Amino acid sequence: MSQSAVKASGVSDAPDAGRWKALVFIALAQLMVVLDATIVNIALPSAQQDLGISDGNRQWVVTAYALAFGGLLLFGGRIADLWGRKRTFVTGLAGFAVASALGGAATNEAMMFGSRALQGVFGALLAPAALSLLAVMFTDAKERAKAFGIYGAIAGGGGAVGLILGGFLTEYLNWRWTFFVNIPFAVIAAAGAYLVIREPKGSRNRSPLDIPGVVLSTLGLVALVYGFTRAESNGWSDATTVGMFVGAAVLLLSFVFVEARVKAPLLPLRVITERNRGGIYLSLGLAVIAMFGLFLFLTYYLQVVKGYTPVKTGFAFLPMIAGMITGSTQIGARLMTRVAPRLLMGPGFLVAAAGMLFLTQLEINTSYAGVLLPGMLLLGLGMGTAFMPAMSMATMGVEPRDAGVASAMVNTSQQVGGAIGTALLNTIAASATTSYIADHMGGASSRSQQQLVQLQGQVQGYTSAIWFAVGILVVAAAIALTFVNAGRPGGPAVSGSGAGDVAEDELPIPVVAH
């Protein structure tokens, strides 16, 4: 597709003058969404006690959000393409603020679960709209690298920041503020976005909505996320768990069948079958599986085994945040216009795996400075370096009309990866803990010895699961190095890379060959 063709299509090739101001508000919205994913976990015990939520039902505070968010992401991405990304973005922010206010004001479990589901619905509008706005506003290779470096650092480090903020709010105010804190974020981001974002003309996809695709993808993703969530609490052999996985497979295969045949598909298969994007979605999802599980284990290790307060736990994660920000903005953003993306993603995932290797050495009396600090620094550096080009490449080379749905696929791979990681690694950890306690409890005669065995069993569970996460990151690195074969932005493309065969600096806006 030539420059003249792009101009003829009505898409302006002049960069938006307010794009850097817009980035501030887009990044603020992304920070709010990522913070919310971890901030509520810290507050969950307090909220459970206040609202009288049973142990069996407490998972729904997390699950209600995950189901709505994960299930509706593709729909949200398509709405952004159809309705306009700026309008979808502002609507998502407004709805998220209202849902957060309801959550903070919740008086019973039903109100809490409903507000979390509503947050997920509006988050599914907001997240793909934010990423696709970046994709269509930043078209220069170097500027795009900087913008996605900032976005990638927030996407990677925001979760750990949520642990710190959640600790402060829960410890010094109360759990309700972990919801109310979203409101000023949303109001500032929405007001700023309304005033400064200028979406490029001609970048919408006004094709009619693919209703069968919406129904099949939403039900399929909900069944998949719920299957993994249920496996965590009820086991992998539970009849409902197995039924959910079978149902998800049938629904998602039916979705692919429908998408290949309808005139205006919800998810054009060209978005995911392009070699580079397919490799990025897969490797990113695997990396998130490893990372989400680790967040959970380290939080429990620091609070339950080491006896840290919520605030101290949050601060203990600071090296990981620093590593992510450094990897994303200093390594990823600076090198992305100089080397091929796979040469950042592959080594990045391997450095993160090396950090995980440090953490497999955890014991009850492990030194923070000797093991946890270097492990978290390496993990953050590696993830930040890999995430930055992954975020950018996932939307590079798509037609503007597909930017929303391509962005939704990034979020979908992360959301489904997070659900899988939490359930899968938790199950591995629980099994290893049970086995260790069964083998060693017989030799514990006093109560203090029994408590020691239980703590050792927990640590054994965490390290067993972390070993598994190391393997997942190595596989993610192999996929990135094998599948992602695009050349560096602005440089000659790697032969045979399909849509990447045109150097990006020749294009006024990213396009994909048909």
Side-chain angles (χ1 to χ4, degrees), residues 48-61:
Q48 181 185 354
Q49 188 175 354
D50 267 13
L51 300 178
I53 301 172
S54 68
D55 284 349
N57 284 342
R58 70 181 173 189
Q59 65 160 328
W60 284 101
V61 176

Side-chain angles (χ1 to χ4, degrees), residues 1-366:
M1 189 173 183
S2 66
Q3 288 191 29
S4 58
V6 175
K7 289 174 183 174
S9 71
V11 181
S12 172
D13 60 352
D16 177 31
R19 61 196 179 281
W20 291 108
K21 291 179 183 176
L23 175 63
V24 173
F25 300 110
I26 292 168
L28 189 64
Q30 172 66 8
L31 180 62
M32 180 189 72
V33 172
V34 177
L35 283 178
D36 191 74
T38 51
I39 201 170
V40 172
N41 288 340
I42 292 276
L44 185 53
S46 303
Q48 181 185 354
Q49 188 175 354
D50 267 13
L51 300 178
I53 301 172
S54 68
D55 284 349
N57 284 342
R58 70 181 173 189
Q59 65 160 328
W60 284 101
V61 176
V62 176
T63 304
Y65 177 85
L67 290 178
F69 189 73
L72 291 170
L73 269 168
L74 283 176
F75 179 56
R78 182 65 183 86
I79 289 294
D81 287 336
L82 176 68
W83 199 30
R85 295 170 192 93
K86 175 179 174 178
R87 187 185 299 176
T88 305
F89 182 71
V90 173
T91 302
L93 282 166
F96 203 91
V98 170
S100 297
L102 288 173
T107 54
N108 54 51
E109 63 178 33
M111 191 171 171
M112 170 61 77
F113 300 156
S115 70
R116 288 292 284 161
L118 202 59
Q119 276 186 316
V121 170
F122 286 104
L125 284 179
L126 172 61
L131 190 54
S132 59
L133 276 169
L134 286 188
V136 298
M137 292 176 76
F138 289 90
T139 56
D140 175 76
K142 289 186 178 179
E143 285 195 349
R144 186 183 179 95
K146 290 177 185 175
F148 276 92
I150 294 166
Y151 188 89
I154 290 169
V161 175
L163 296 171
I164 298 173
L165 191 56
F168 267 108
L169 294 172
T170 304
E171 204 165 315
Y172 297 116
L173 294 171
N174 66 45
W175 65 267
R176 295 183 184 276
W177 283 96
T178 61
F179 286 90
F180 291 145
V181 75
N182 291 331
I183 298 171
F185 275 103
V187 170
I188 294 168
Y194 183 79
L195 292 172
V196 305
I197 289 179
R198 298 288 180 269
E199 191 175 346
K201 293 179 181 179
S203 63
R204 289 193 194 176
N205 182 348
R206 299 184 185 276
S207 304
L209 199 58
D210 169 23
I211 300 300
V214 170
V215 173
L216 288 169
S217 68
T218 301
L219 291 178
L221 287 170
V222 164
L224 184 64
V225 173
Y226 182 59
F228 277 104
T229 306
R230 188 177 173 88
E232 185 184 349
S233 54
N234 293 66
W236 296 94
S237 58
D238 173 70
T240 306
T241 302
V242 174
M244 283 293 160
F245 286 135
V246 172
V250 171
L251 287 163
L252 293 174
L253 285 172
S254 302
F255 171 68
V256 172
F257 181 82
V258 168
E259 297 308 275
R261 283 157 179 77
V262 296
K263 190 174 181 181
L266 173 69
L267 174 61
L269 296 183
R270 62 180 176 267
V271 171
I272 55 172
T273 54
E274 198 275 320
R275 175 175 180 156
N276 291 287
R277 279 192 296 278
I280 281 166
Y281 297 144
L282 189 55
S283 61
L284 203 58
L286 287 169
V288 170
I289 287 175
M291 198 169 83
F292 264 65
L294 185 80
F295 271 147
L296 190 69
F297 297 140
L298 284 185
T299 302
Y300 275 101
Y301 173 78
L302 292 170
Q303 289 193 36
V304 176
V305 179
K306 303 290 280 186
Y308 284 21
T309 63
V311 171
K312 191 176 179 182
T313 300
F315 275 106
F317 277 98
L318 276 176
M320 190 185 294
I321 301 170
M324 283 180 176
I325 292 171
T326 303
S328 189
T329 61
Q330 299 306 308
I331 301 174
R334 288 174 185 271
L335 293 181
M336 189 178 160
T337 55
R338 301 177 187 178
V339 301
R342 70 182 184 281
L343 299 180
L344 290 173
M345 290 178 65
F349 288 139
L350 290 175
V351 169
M356 288 269 197
L357 271 176
F358 266 94
L359 300 173
T360 59
Q361 310 306 310
L362 288 181
E363 295 175 358
I364 289 179
N365 297 316
T366 291

Side-chain angles (χ1 to χ4, degrees), residues 339-471:
V339 301
R342 70 182 184 281
L343 299 180
L344 290 173
M345 290 178 65
F349 288 139
L350 290 175
V351 169
M356 288 269 197
L357 271 176
F358 266 94
L359 300 173
T360 59
Q361 310 306 310
L362 288 181
E363 295 175 358
I364 289 179
N365 297 316
T366 291
S367 156
Y368 178 84
V371 175
L372 286 159
L373 178 62
M376 287 198 283
L377 268 173
L378 284 172
L379 182 67
L381 266 176
M383 286 295 196
T385 301
F387 269 40
M388 190 264 138
M391 290 285 186
S392 179
M393 281 292 295
T395 53
M396 189 181 290
V398 296
E399 293 184 4
R401 64 193 178 118
D402 291 334
V405 77
S407 304
M409 276 302 300
V410 179
N411 288 286
T412 301
S413 66
Q414 289 179 304
Q415 189 64 27
V416 173
I420 293 171
T422 304
L424 180 64
L425 297 182
N426 248 8
T427 305
I428 292 166
S431 176
T433 296
T434 303
S435 177
Y436 183 92
I437 291 173
D439 290 344
H440 294 81
M441 191 59 84
S445 53
S446 66
R447 182 170 176 79
S448 62
Q449 286 178 325
Q450 290 172 353
Q451 288 176 335
L452 182 63
V453 168
Q454 287 179 331
L455 284 177
Q456 287 171 333
Q458 284 187 38
V459 176
Q460 179 69 27
Y462 302 153
T463 55
S464 298
I466 292 170
W467 269 112
F468 201 85
V470 171

